[in-house]
Amino acid sequence: MPDSLDRSENQPRGGLHSRLLYLWVALAVFVAHMAVTGGHLLSPDGELMFRTAESIALRGELSIMPIEYSEELGQLVVPRSRTFATVPGPDGKFYAQYLPLQSVLSVPLVWLGRATQSIFAESFYATLPTQYRMQDPNVGRAWRRAVVVALFNPLVMALTALVIMRLGSFLSDGKHRAGMWAAMLWAFGTMAWPHSRSYFTEPLAGLFAMIALDQLLRWYVTPLNESSAHNRLRQMTVLGLALAAAIWTRMDSPAIAFGIGVTLVLAGEWKRRRESAYGLSAGQFPWRDYLLSGALVVGSYALLLAFNNWRFGDAGGVTGGYSDQAESVKFSTPVFVGLHGFLMTPGKSIFFFSPVLILAIWGWILTPAQKRWSGWIVLGSFLPFALAMVKWQNWSGGWDWGPRHVFQLHAPLVLGAVYLFREPMPMLRSAAVKVLFAVGIVVQLYGSSQSPFEFYQEFYRSSADGVYFTVAYRPDELPTVQSDFRVQRRAADNPTRILTTTPAALPAPLADSVYMPSHTVWAGYAAMLKEGRCDIWLLARILPEGQDVPALDESSGVQP
């Protein structure tokens, strides 16, 4: 009997011990990820989503004040058409261009911050670096921000680790330790750890995508007969709801929904033919399964379009508020350029920032023949999303730690590591796993040590030695790259004066901060550490006080 149809071998064994193991994993991930928080937001994107959450929690509204609104002056300090990532709606109020689900789910944390601010806010505010106190003199709001950023993504990461462990146990025939180690590799050896410090939406969208993948893989091994119809419909309901939630979390989630949908149909046709050949079922076409999951996803997207039209009017539609932004929505990067960037460049390679993914790829290569269907389903489900991010005009994600835009690929990729842990490993393989895991942990702690926004402000917006890095994805900075993509360095006090030009053309219209290690976060974070700076709130309390930096300008640093 083919492995994919043998239900008895694919059910993880339960028991108190396994439940305690799951609880331990979730608690360890949550505590460790919360421990590296900086106690503040890391980007203007996060600020706008926080303002939306706070507006819902405290005023019952979705509208917000743009970053460029001055409370002292009581007015906007820029024209309405130039506000960062906020769009005026038909009612004259401003709305963040980002999708609302993360802000809605954060409302209880805003309430928690408000309920506890009389106890903790004053003492916490005194510990914030000067630049963050200057950002917002409202003590209570600073504490509410800290509660949201310290708890939301660590909770999401803990839940994602549980899904990885559960799915890993399923793929390894009930061996919970194999699933546990896959979850540990993801939580502590990939960029998931430093990104739990942020309030970006990739982690939440990635959680929903993994829930959908979990249900798809379980559906694949559920026979297409009447006796299992209830189980299949339940799986398709969860899959559809997970994808619907992802669509309301990030604008790129429809690419994942498309991949999972196409893979569902192809895998269903393959299993239908196999079951018919083995006489396990009459080979029924699972139209009810497809209809249920498809209706949930399509219905969710239709509601989102209506919601965007209500928020933004003519600026809504498929692209939401992004259609009103300078960057807009473009897929203009050559495929091989994006692939080169995500795989090989020191500034954005997934293998530089998440070294344990090498183990995951190794595991997929060693997948037993009877389990190879799992790899094909994972590949089909996430390939459209990967290609979309490769083609995205701002594929590199700007100044953030690592390739943020492909964050959602890390969890499904790491599942391959399950096949390394399902059986005892030879000594050399075990040593390689331990070394790469240790390297991954060091890399993530290094990435957690600094605020990428402070790095951006100092290395891209000012420079003590008269030279600044270039970020070519910003439209106003594109002239710093010649038509043949030879990167230029220009004087900070006179941008028209060219200091140096790279002797050979680079293979993409990206700045040297992606290709040259000396101009990446690797060098920038080291320079900040040498100054005694540390953005981990708990660790900064016991280290000698470092050097403050100038107040941050939240209106700069455009993020898609």
Side-chain angles (χ1 to χ4, degrees):
M1 180 177 293
D3 178 88
S4 62
L5 305 179
D6 188 348
R7 300 275 294 150
S8 63
E9 289 187 0
N10 286 286
Q11 298 303 309
R13 293 182 291 274
L16 178 61
H17 176 73
S18 63
R19 288 194 290 270
L20 290 176
L21 191 61
Y22 277 86
L23 180 62
W24 179 87
V25 168
L27 186 61
V29 173
F30 173 70
V31 171
H33 283 229
M34 183 177 64
V36 299
T37 183
H40 55 81
L41 296 169
L42 300 180
S43 75
D45 309 58
E47 173 65 22
L48 292 176
M49 288 186 289
F50 167 78
R51 292 187 184 195
T52 302
E54 191 175 50
S55 180
I56 297 170
L58 305 184
R59 297 190 294 113
E61 296 183 11
L62 278 170
S63 61
I64 61 171
M65 283 298 178
I67 289 174
E68 297 82 0
Y69 181 82
S70 170
E71 292 187 0
E72 294 181 1
L73 299 177
Q75 64 184 32
L76 284 172
V77 295
V78 303
R80 289 170 65 88
S81 60
R82 292 181 57 192
T83 54
F84 170 69
T86 46
V87 182
D91 57 2
K93 298 179 180 179
F94 283 91
Y95 298 89
Q97 70 182 17
Y98 308 105
L99 298 180
L101 184 56
Q102 177 155 310
S103 296
V104 171
L105 295 178
S106 301
V107 165
L109 297 181
V110 176
W111 288 337
L112 175 63
R114 188 183 188 187
T116 56
Q117 66 186 43
S118 61
I119 304 173
F120 300 108
E122 291 284 353
S123 56
F124 167 76
Y125 193 74
T127 67
L128 279 177
T130 302
Q131 64 269 25
Y132 294 108
R133 292 199 300 271
M134 293 174 66
Q135 256 184 293
D136 189 348
N138 188 309
V139 177
R141 195 157 53 209
W143 170 249
R144 293 194 293 273
R145 279 195 192 93
V147 171
V148 170
V149 76
L151 296 179
F152 187 85
N153 269 339
L155 282 170
V156 170
M157 300 299 187
L159 291 174
T160 305
L162 286 182
V163 176
I164 293 172
M165 182 176 175
R166 182 173 184 265
L167 192 45
S169 301
F170 170 76
L171 294 177
S172 61
D173 303 330
K175 296 177 180 176
H176 298 292
R177 284 192 169 274
M180 180 196 72
W181 282 112
M184 293 291 99
L185 287 177
W186 175 82
F188 300 114
T190 74
M191 51 187 278
W193 203 354
H195 274 258
S196 66
R197 292 164 33 84
S198 76
Y199 190 52
F200 286 128
T201 53
E202 283 88 354
L204 183 61
L207 169 61
F208 292 135
M210 286 301 293
I211 293 174
L213 177 65
D214 175 77
Q215 296 303 300
L216 173 56
L217 289 166
R218 292 173 190 276
W219 178 87
Y220 182 73
V221 301
T222 305
L224 294 173
N225 52 43
E226 287 302 320
S227 63
S228 64
H230 176 75
N231 286 338
R232 296 200 321 273
L233 291 178
R234 174 174 48 81
Q235 291 160 351
M236 288 298 96
T237 300
V238 176
L239 181 147
L241 290 175
L243 291 179
I247 287 171
W248 278 76
T249 301
R250 277 192 64 81
M251 198 181 70
D252 53 21
S253 293
I256 296 178
F258 175 78
I260 289 180
V262 171
T263 303
L264 171 66
V265 174
L266 294 177
E269 180 60 19
W270 176 245
K271 70 178 288 190
R272 185 178 72 87
R273 294 184 180 184
R274 294 181 71 185
E275 287 189 23
S276 180
Y278 280 93
L280 299 176
S281 68
Q284 302 97 329
F285 186 76
W287 62 270
R288 286 181 296 182
D289 301 21
Y290 300 155
L291 182 62
L292 176 58
S293 58
L296 288 170
V297 174
V298 173
S300 171
Y301 195 63
L303 287 174
L304 179 61
L305 295 181
F307 175 74
N308 284 337
N309 186 67
W310 170 78
R311 280 197 300 174
F312 305 124
D314 294 339
V318 175
T319 58
Y322 284 86
S323 61
D324 196 47
Q325 301 299 309
E327 288 184 89
S328 188
V329 175
K330 298 176 183 177
F331 296 91
S332 54
T333 301
V335 170
F336 287 107
V337 169
L339 284 174
H340 173 244
F342 283 136
L343 298 178
M344 301 178 66
T345 59
K348 292 297 172 181
S349 166
I350 60 174
F351 298 115
F352 277 80
F353 290 88
S354 301
V356 299
L357 290 185
I358 297 172
L359 298 175
I361 301 299
W362 189 2
W364 285 119
I365 293 172
L366 297 177
T367 302
Q370 68 271 25
K371 293 288 186 180
R372 285 177 187 160
W373 53 269
S374 63
W376 287 113
I377 289 178
V378 170
L379 177 63
S381 297
F382 288 89
L383 183 60
F385 172 77
L387 291 177
M389 294 301 99
V390 163
K391 289 287 295 177
W392 179 243
Q393 54 95 11
N394 176 22
W395 66 267
S396 67
W399 38 265
D400 298 297
W401 176 260
R404 175 170 69 91
H405 286 167
V406 292
F407 179 91
Q408 295 94 309
L409 296 180
H410 286 63
L413 275 176
V414 87
L415 286 174
V418 168
Y419 298 117
L420 289 178
F421 293 103
R422 71 194 300 257
E423 302 293 346
M425 287 184 287
M427 184 174 63
L428 289 179
R429 185 185 302 178
S430 176
V433 168
K434 292 175 182 176
V435 168
L436 276 173
F437 193 15
V439 170
I441 291 173
V442 172
V443 167
Q444 307 323 317
L445 289 175
Y446 182 68
S448 300
S449 68
Q450 304 299 326
S451 164
F453 199 30
E454 291 184 29
F455 165 78
Y456 176 79
Q457 290 291 131
E458 294 181 52
F459 288 89
Y460 291 96
R461 294 303 181 195
S462 62
S463 179
D465 60 5
V467 176
Y468 66 93
F469 297 176
T470 59
V471 184
Y473 76 89
R474 281 178 56 88
D476 59 323
E477 291 171 336
L478 284 174
T480 61
V481 181
Q482 295 177 337
S483 60
D484 58 0
F485 310 143
R486 285 187 169 88
V487 175
Q488 302 170 347
R489 294 197 303 171
R490 300 182 178 223
D493 57 348
N494 182 11
T496 62
R497 183 164 62 90
I498 300 173
L499 299 177
T500 60
T501 301
T502 54
L506 295 173
L510 267 298
D512 56 1
S513 59
V514 172
Y515 295 95
M516 300 180 183
S518 60
H519 284 189
T520 65
V521 290
W522 301 102
Y525 282 21
M528 297 164 82
L529 282 172
K530 287 179 181 178
E531 297 176 357
R533 308 253 293 275
C534 179
D535 194 53
I536 298 176
W537 186 85
L538 287 173
L539 194 57
R541 306 284 67 76
I542 60 176
L543 293 177
E545 186 172 353
Q547 173 184 337
D548 278 341
V549 298
L552 304 182
D553 175 11
E554 286 190 318
S555 64
S556 62
V558 176
Q559 292 285 321

PDB file of all heavy atoms in Angstrom, residues 291-320:
ATOM      1  N   LEU A 291     -14.913  22.939  -3.541  1.00  0.00           N
ATOM      2  CA  LEU A 291     -15.898  24.016  -3.493  1.00  0.00           C
ATOM      3  C   LEU A 291     -15.877  24.728  -2.151  1.00  0.00           C
ATOM      4  O   LEU A 291     -15.937  25.955  -2.081  1.00  0.00           O
ATOM      5  CB  LEU A 291     -17.295  23.450  -3.774  1.00  0.00           C
ATOM      6  CG  LEU A 291     -18.446  24.468  -3.806  1.00  0.00           C
ATOM      7  CD1 LEU A 291     -18.221  25.474  -4.927  1.00  0.00           C
ATOM      8  CD2 LEU A 291     -19.786  23.760  -3.975  1.00  0.00           C
ATOM      9  N   LEU A 292     -15.775  23.949  -1.072  1.00  0.00           N
ATOM     10  CA  LEU A 292     -15.797  24.553   0.263  1.00  0.00           C
ATOM     11  C   LEU A 292     -14.583  25.446   0.484  1.00  0.00           C
ATOM     12  O   LEU A 292     -14.723  26.619   0.867  1.00  0.00           O
ATOM     13  CB  LEU A 292     -15.847  23.456   1.323  1.00  0.00           C
ATOM     14  CG  LEU A 292     -15.777  23.926   2.790  1.00  0.00           C
ATOM     15  CD1 LEU A 292     -16.902  24.890   3.101  1.00  0.00           C
ATOM     16  CD2 LEU A 292     -15.790  22.732   3.734  1.00  0.00           C
ATOM     17  N   SER A 293     -13.384  24.916   0.270  1.00  0.00           N
ATOM     18  CA  SER A 293     -12.177  25.719   0.494  1.00  0.00           C
ATOM     19  C   SER A 293     -12.119  26.897  -0.472  1.00  0.00           C
ATOM     20  O   SER A 293     -11.763  28.019  -0.089  1.00  0.00           O
ATOM     21  CB  SER A 293     -10.925  24.849   0.347  1.00  0.00           C
ATOM     22  OG  SER A 293     -10.885  24.247  -0.933  1.00  0.00           O
ATOM     23  N   GLY A 294     -12.489  26.661  -1.737  1.00  0.00           N
ATOM     24  CA  GLY A 294     -12.463  27.743  -2.723  1.00  0.00           C
ATOM     25  C   GLY A 294     -13.439  28.847  -2.395  1.00  0.00           C
ATOM     26  O   GLY A 294     -13.126  30.039  -2.553  1.00  0.00           O
ATOM     27  N   ALA A 295     -14.641  28.481  -1.925  1.00  0.00           N
ATOM     28  CA  ALA A 295     -15.632  29.497  -1.584  1.00  0.00           C
ATOM     29  C   ALA A 295     -15.153  30.371  -0.427  1.00  0.00           C
ATOM     30  O   ALA A 295     -15.367  31.591  -0.423  1.00  0.00           O
ATOM     31  CB  ALA A 295     -16.959  28.822  -1.232  1.00  0.00           C
ATOM     32  N   LEU A 296     -14.499  29.763   0.560  1.00  0.00           N
ATOM     33  CA  LEU A 296     -13.996  30.535   1.699  1.00  0.00           C
ATOM     34  C   LEU A 296     -12.915  31.523   1.264  1.00  0.00           C
ATOM     35  O   LEU A 296     -12.903  32.683   1.707  1.00  0.00           O
ATOM     36  CB  LEU A 296     -13.443  29.588   2.769  1.00  0.00           C
ATOM     37  CG  LEU A 296     -14.492  28.779   3.539  1.00  0.00           C
ATOM     38  CD1 LEU A 296     -13.826  27.705   4.381  1.00  0.00           C
ATOM     39  CD2 LEU A 296     -15.333  29.696   4.415  1.00  0.00           C
ATOM     40  N   VAL A 297     -12.013  31.085   0.386  1.00  0.00           N
ATOM     41  CA  VAL A 297     -10.922  31.954  -0.056  1.00  0.00           C
ATOM     42  C   VAL A 297     -11.441  33.056  -0.973  1.00  0.00           C
ATOM     43  O   VAL A 297     -11.135  34.243  -0.786  1.00  0.00           O
ATOM     44  CB  VAL A 297      -9.836  31.122  -0.760  1.00  0.00           C
ATOM     45  CG1 VAL A 297      -8.772  32.046  -1.362  1.00  0.00           C
ATOM     46  CG2 VAL A 297      -9.185  30.151   0.224  1.00  0.00           C
ATOM     47  N   VAL A 298     -12.226  32.680  -1.976  1.00  0.00           N
ATOM     48  CA  VAL A 298     -12.738  33.674  -2.923  1.00  0.00           C
ATOM     49  C   VAL A 298     -13.668  34.653  -2.212  1.00  0.00           C
ATOM     50  O   VAL A 298     -13.628  35.869  -2.458  1.00  0.00           O
ATOM     51  CB  VAL A 298     -13.454  32.978  -4.093  1.00  0.00           C
ATOM     52  CG1 VAL A 298     -14.133  34.013  -4.999  1.00  0.00           C
ATOM     53  CG2 VAL A 298     -12.466  32.153  -4.901  1.00  0.00           C
ATOM     54  N   GLY A 299     -14.512  34.136  -1.327  1.00  0.00           N
ATOM     55  CA  GLY A 299     -15.404  35.016  -0.579  1.00  0.00           C
ATOM     56  C   GLY A 299     -14.646  35.993   0.280  1.00  0.00           C
ATOM     57  O   GLY A 299     -15.011  37.173   0.381  1.00  0.00           O
ATOM     58  N   SER A 300     -13.567  35.524   0.907  1.00  0.00           N
ATOM     59  CA  SER A 300     -12.747  36.412   1.733  1.00  0.00           C
ATOM     60  C   SER A 300     -12.131  37.520   0.893  1.00  0.00           C
ATOM     61  O   SER A 300     -12.112  38.692   1.296  1.00  0.00           O
ATOM     62  CB  SER A 300     -11.645  35.600   2.429  1.00  0.00           C
ATOM     63  OG  SER A 300     -10.712  36.446   3.057  1.00  0.00           O
ATOM     64  N   TYR A 301     -11.637  37.159  -0.285  1.00  0.00           N
ATOM     65  CA  TYR A 301     -11.004  38.162  -1.142  1.00  0.00           C
ATOM     66  C   TYR A 301     -12.031  39.164  -1.655  1.00  0.00           C
ATOM     67  O   TYR A 301     -11.740  40.364  -1.748  1.00  0.00           O
ATOM     68  CB  TYR A 301     -10.293  37.481  -2.303  1.00  0.00           C
ATOM     69  CG  TYR A 301      -9.320  38.383  -3.023  1.00  0.00           C
ATOM     70  CD1 TYR A 301      -8.210  38.890  -2.359  1.00  0.00           C
ATOM     71  CD2 TYR A 301      -9.521  38.740  -4.356  1.00  0.00           C
ATOM     72  CE1 TYR A 301      -7.313  39.725  -3.005  1.00  0.00           C
ATOM     73  CE2 TYR A 301      -8.629  39.574  -5.010  1.00  0.00           C
ATOM     74  CZ  TYR A 301      -7.522  40.064  -4.323  1.00  0.00           C
ATOM     75  OH  TYR A 301      -6.650  40.897  -4.960  1.00  0.00           O
ATOM     76  N   ALA A 302     -13.227  38.693  -1.967  1.00  0.00           N
ATOM     77  CA  ALA A 302     -14.274  39.605  -2.419  1.00  0.00           C
ATOM     78  C   ALA A 302     -14.637  40.598  -1.318  1.00  0.00           C
ATOM     79  O   ALA A 302     -14.827  41.798  -1.569  1.00  0.00           O
ATOM     80  CB  ALA A 302     -15.505  38.808  -2.845  1.00  0.00           C
ATOM     81  N   LEU A 303     -14.727  40.104  -0.084  1.00  0.00           N
ATOM     82  CA  LEU A 303     -15.002  41.001   1.043  1.00  0.00           C
ATOM     83  C   LEU A 303     -13.879  42.013   1.236  1.00  0.00           C
ATOM     84  O   LEU A 303     -14.122  43.181   1.566  1.00  0.00           O
ATOM     85  CB  LEU A 303     -15.202  40.184   2.320  1.00  0.00           C
ATOM     86  CG  LEU A 303     -16.511  39.398   2.438  1.00  0.00           C
ATOM     87  CD1 LEU A 303     -16.496  38.530   3.689  1.00  0.00           C
ATOM     88  CD2 LEU A 303     -17.705  40.346   2.470  1.00  0.00           C
ATOM     89  N   LEU A 304     -12.638  41.563   1.011  1.00  0.00           N
ATOM     90  CA  LEU A 304     -11.510  42.475   1.154  1.00  0.00           C
ATOM     91  C   LEU A 304     -11.568  43.594   0.112  1.00  0.00           C
ATOM     92  O   LEU A 304     -11.281  44.754   0.419  1.00  0.00           O
ATOM     93  CB  LEU A 304     -10.194  41.702   1.023  1.00  0.00           C
ATOM     94  CG  LEU A 304      -8.919  42.532   1.131  1.00  0.00           C
ATOM     95  CD1 LEU A 304      -8.837  43.222   2.490  1.00  0.00           C
ATOM     96  CD2 LEU A 304      -7.683  41.660   0.914  1.00  0.00           C
ATOM     97  N   LEU A 305     -11.931  43.252  -1.114  1.00  0.00           N
ATOM     98  CA  LEU A 305     -12.053  44.277  -2.154  1.00  0.00           C
ATOM     99  C   LEU A 305     -13.124  45.303  -1.774  1.00  0.00           C
ATOM    100  O   LEU A 305     -12.938  46.507  -1.950  1.00  0.00           O
ATOM    101  CB  LEU A 305     -12.393  43.629  -3.495  1.00  0.00           C
ATOM    102  CG  LEU A 305     -11.325  42.713  -4.103  1.00  0.00           C
ATOM    103  CD1 LEU A 305     -11.796  42.174  -5.448  1.00  0.00           C
ATOM    104  CD2 LEU A 305     -10.007  43.446  -4.264  1.00  0.00           C
ATOM    105  N   ALA A 306     -14.247  44.820  -1.246  1.00  0.00           N
ATOM    106  CA  ALA A 306     -15.297  45.727  -0.812  1.00  0.00           C
ATOM    107  C   ALA A 306     -14.815  46.603   0.347  1.00  0.00           C
ATOM    108  O   ALA A 306     -15.117  47.805   0.414  1.00  0.00           O
ATOM    109  CB  ALA A 306     -16.541  44.936  -0.412  1.00  0.00           C
ATOM    110  N   PHE A 307     -14.058  45.990   1.255  1.00  0.00           N
ATOM    111  CA  PHE A 307     -13.512  46.732   2.401  1.00  0.00           C
ATOM    112  C   PHE A 307     -12.550  47.818   1.930  1.00  0.00           C
ATOM    113  O   PHE A 307     -12.602  48.963   2.414  1.00  0.00           O
ATOM    114  CB  PHE A 307     -12.808  45.751   3.337  1.00  0.00           C
ATOM    115  CG  PHE A 307     -12.100  46.398   4.490  1.00  0.00           C
ATOM    116  CD1 PHE A 307     -12.810  46.916   5.559  1.00  0.00           C
ATOM    117  CD2 PHE A 307     -10.708  46.484   4.502  1.00  0.00           C
ATOM    118  CE1 PHE A 307     -12.151  47.508   6.631  1.00  0.00           C
ATOM    119  CE2 PHE A 307     -10.052  47.076   5.562  1.00  0.00           C
ATOM    120  CZ  PHE A 307     -10.770  47.594   6.633  1.00  0.00           C
ATOM    121  N   ASN A 308     -11.679  47.487   0.980  1.00  0.00           N
ATOM    122  CA  ASN A 308     -10.750  48.487   0.443  1.00  0.00           C
ATOM    123  C   ASN A 308     -11.495  49.622  -0.241  1.00  0.00           C
ATOM    124  O   ASN A 308     -11.097  50.789  -0.148  1.00  0.00           O
ATOM    125  CB  ASN A 308      -9.773  47.832  -0.536  1.00  0.00           C
ATOM    126  CG  ASN A 308      -8.687  47.044   0.162  1.00  0.00           C
ATOM    127  OD1 ASN A 308      -8.380  47.287   1.322  1.00  0.00           O
ATOM    128  ND2 ASN A 308      -8.110  46.083  -0.540  1.00  0.00           N
ATOM    129  N   ASN A 309     -12.554  49.288  -0.935  1.00  0.00           N
ATOM    130  CA  ASN A 309     -13.338  50.322  -1.600  1.00  0.00           C
ATOM    131  C   ASN A 309     -14.004  51.247  -0.580  1.00  0.00           C
ATOM    132  O   ASN A 309     -14.085  52.459  -0.774  1.00  0.00           O
ATOM    133  CB  ASN A 309     -14.396  49.687  -2.496  1.00  0.00           C
ATOM    134  CG  ASN A 309     -15.141  50.715  -3.308  1.00  0.00           C
ATOM    135  OD1 ASN A 309     -14.590  51.365  -4.191  1.00  0.00           O
ATOM    136  ND2 ASN A 309     -16.435  50.881  -3.016  1.00  0.00           N
ATOM    137  N   TRP A 310     -14.437  50.655   0.553  1.00  0.00           N
ATOM    138  CA  TRP A 310     -15.028  51.483   1.611  1.00  0.00           C
ATOM    139  C   TRP A 310     -13.976  52.390   2.239  1.00  0.00           C
ATOM    140  O   TRP A 310     -14.237  53.561   2.524  1.00  0.00           O
ATOM    141  CB  TRP A 310     -15.638  50.574   2.677  1.00  0.00           C
ATOM    142  CG  TRP A 310     -16.052  51.321   3.919  1.00  0.00           C
ATOM    143  CD1 TRP A 310     -17.165  52.084   4.087  1.00  0.00           C
ATOM    144  CD2 TRP A 310     -15.317  51.394   5.152  1.00  0.00           C
ATOM    145  NE1 TRP A 310     -17.192  52.621   5.357  1.00  0.00           N
ATOM    146  CE2 TRP A 310     -16.065  52.219   6.027  1.00  0.00           C
ATOM    147  CE3 TRP A 310     -14.119  50.849   5.597  1.00  0.00           C
ATOM    148  CZ2 TRP A 310     -15.640  52.499   7.324  1.00  0.00           C
ATOM    149  CZ3 TRP A 310     -13.697  51.133   6.885  1.00  0.00           C
ATOM    150  CH2 TRP A 310     -14.453  51.947   7.736  1.00  0.00           C
ATOM    151  N   ARG A 311     -12.774  51.857   2.473  1.00  0.00           N
ATOM    152  CA  ARG A 311     -11.716  52.656   3.107  1.00  0.00           C
ATOM    153  C   ARG A 311     -11.182  53.741   2.187  1.00  0.00           C
ATOM    154  O   ARG A 311     -11.024  54.898   2.585  1.00  0.00           O
ATOM    155  CB  ARG A 311     -10.543  51.761   3.527  1.00  0.00           C
ATOM    156  CG  ARG A 311     -10.713  51.015   4.805  1.00  0.00           C
ATOM    157  CD  ARG A 311      -9.380  50.505   5.334  1.00  0.00           C
ATOM    158  NE  ARG A 311      -8.697  49.601   4.420  1.00  0.00           N
ATOM    159  CZ  ARG A 311      -7.471  49.113   4.615  1.00  0.00           C
ATOM    160  NH1 ARG A 311      -6.789  49.471   5.697  1.00  0.00           N
ATOM    161  NH2 ARG A 311      -6.930  48.273   3.757  1.00  0.00           N
ATOM    162  N   PHE A 312     -10.841  53.343   0.952  1.00  0.00           N
ATOM    163  CA  PHE A 312     -10.049  54.213   0.098  1.00  0.00           C
ATOM    164  C   PHE A 312     -10.795  54.776  -1.108  1.00  0.00           C
ATOM    165  O   PHE A 312     -10.250  55.615  -1.818  1.00  0.00           O
ATOM    166  CB  PHE A 312      -8.814  53.467  -0.417  1.00  0.00           C
ATOM    167  CG  PHE A 312      -7.969  52.871   0.668  1.00  0.00           C
ATOM    168  CD1 PHE A 312      -7.673  51.524   0.686  1.00  0.00           C
ATOM    169  CD2 PHE A 312      -7.480  53.659   1.692  1.00  0.00           C
ATOM    170  CE1 PHE A 312      -6.887  50.967   1.672  1.00  0.00           C
ATOM    171  CE2 PHE A 312      -6.697  53.118   2.703  1.00  0.00           C
ATOM    172  CZ  PHE A 312      -6.400  51.770   2.702  1.00  0.00           C
ATOM    173  N   GLY A 313     -11.987  54.297  -1.367  1.00  0.00           N
ATOM    174  CA  GLY A 313     -12.694  54.771  -2.541  1.00  0.00           C
ATOM    175  C   GLY A 313     -11.976  54.366  -3.818  1.00  0.00           C
ATOM    176  O   GLY A 313     -11.616  53.198  -4.001  1.00  0.00           O
ATOM    177  N   ASP A 314     -11.723  55.323  -4.693  1.00  0.00           N
ATOM    178  CA  ASP A 314     -11.065  55.045  -5.969  1.00  0.00           C
ATOM    179  C   ASP A 314      -9.645  54.529  -5.794  1.00  0.00           C
ATOM    180  O   ASP A 314      -9.088  53.899  -6.700  1.00  0.00           O
ATOM    181  CB  ASP A 314     -11.044  56.297  -6.846  1.00  0.00           C
ATOM    182  CG  ASP A 314     -12.440  56.710  -7.277  1.00  0.00           C
ATOM    183  OD1 ASP A 314     -13.335  55.836  -7.248  1.00  0.00           O
ATOM    184  OD2 ASP A 314     -12.636  57.893  -7.606  1.00  0.00           O
ATOM    185  N   ALA A 315      -9.013  54.815  -4.649  1.00  0.00           N
ATOM    186  CA  ALA A 315      -7.639  54.354  -4.404  1.00  0.00           C
ATOM    187  C   ALA A 315      -7.605  52.925  -3.869  1.00  0.00           C
ATOM    188  O   ALA A 315      -6.534  52.402  -3.582  1.00  0.00           O
ATOM    189  CB  ALA A 315      -6.937  55.282  -3.413  1.00  0.00           C
ATOM    190  N   GLY A 316      -8.769  52.281  -3.725  1.00  0.00           N
ATOM    191  CA  GLY A 316      -8.817  50.924  -3.203  1.00  0.00           C
ATOM    192  C   GLY A 316      -8.661  49.895  -4.300  1.00  0.00           C
ATOM    193  O   GLY A 316      -7.783  49.987  -5.144  1.00  0.00           O
ATOM    194  N   GLY A 317      -9.547  48.887  -4.296  1.00  0.00           N
ATOM    195  CA  GLY A 317      -9.464  47.855  -5.317  1.00  0.00           C
ATOM    196  C   GLY A 317      -8.475  46.767  -4.955  1.00  0.00           C
ATOM    197  O   GLY A 317      -8.198  46.506  -3.788  1.00  0.00           O
ATOM    198  N   VAL A 318      -7.902  46.153  -5.995  1.00  0.00           N
ATOM    199  CA  VAL A 318      -7.015  45.001  -5.801  1.00  0.00           C
ATOM    200  C   VAL A 318      -5.780  45.369  -5.002  1.00  0.00           C
ATOM    201  O   VAL A 318      -5.313  44.610  -4.149  1.00  0.00           O
ATOM    202  CB  VAL A 318      -6.614  44.405  -7.161  1.00  0.00           C
ATOM    203  CG1 VAL A 318      -5.602  43.278  -6.970  1.00  0.00           C
ATOM    204  CG2 VAL A 318      -7.843  43.888  -7.901  1.00  0.00           C
ATOM    205  N   THR A 319      -5.217  46.549  -5.257  1.00  0.00           N
ATOM    206  CA  THR A 319      -3.968  46.936  -4.606  1.00  0.00           C
ATOM    207  C   THR A 319      -4.186  47.712  -3.314  1.00  0.00           C
ATOM    208  O   THR A 319      -3.221  48.106  -2.664  1.00  0.00           O
ATOM    209  CB  THR A 319      -3.112  47.792  -5.556  1.00  0.00           C
ATOM    210  OG1 THR A 319      -3.857  48.953  -5.947  1.00  0.00           O
ATOM    211  CG2 THR A 319      -2.727  46.992  -6.782  1.00  0.00           C
ATOM    212  N   GLY A 320      -5.429  47.944  -2.918  1.00  0.00           N
ATOM    213  CA  GLY A 320      -5.674  48.677  -1.692  1.00  0.00           C
ATOM    214  C   GLY A 320      -5.062  50.066  -1.737  1.00  0.00           C
ATOM    215  O   GLY A 320      -4.975  50.697  -2.783  1.00  0.00           O
TER     216      GLY A 320
END
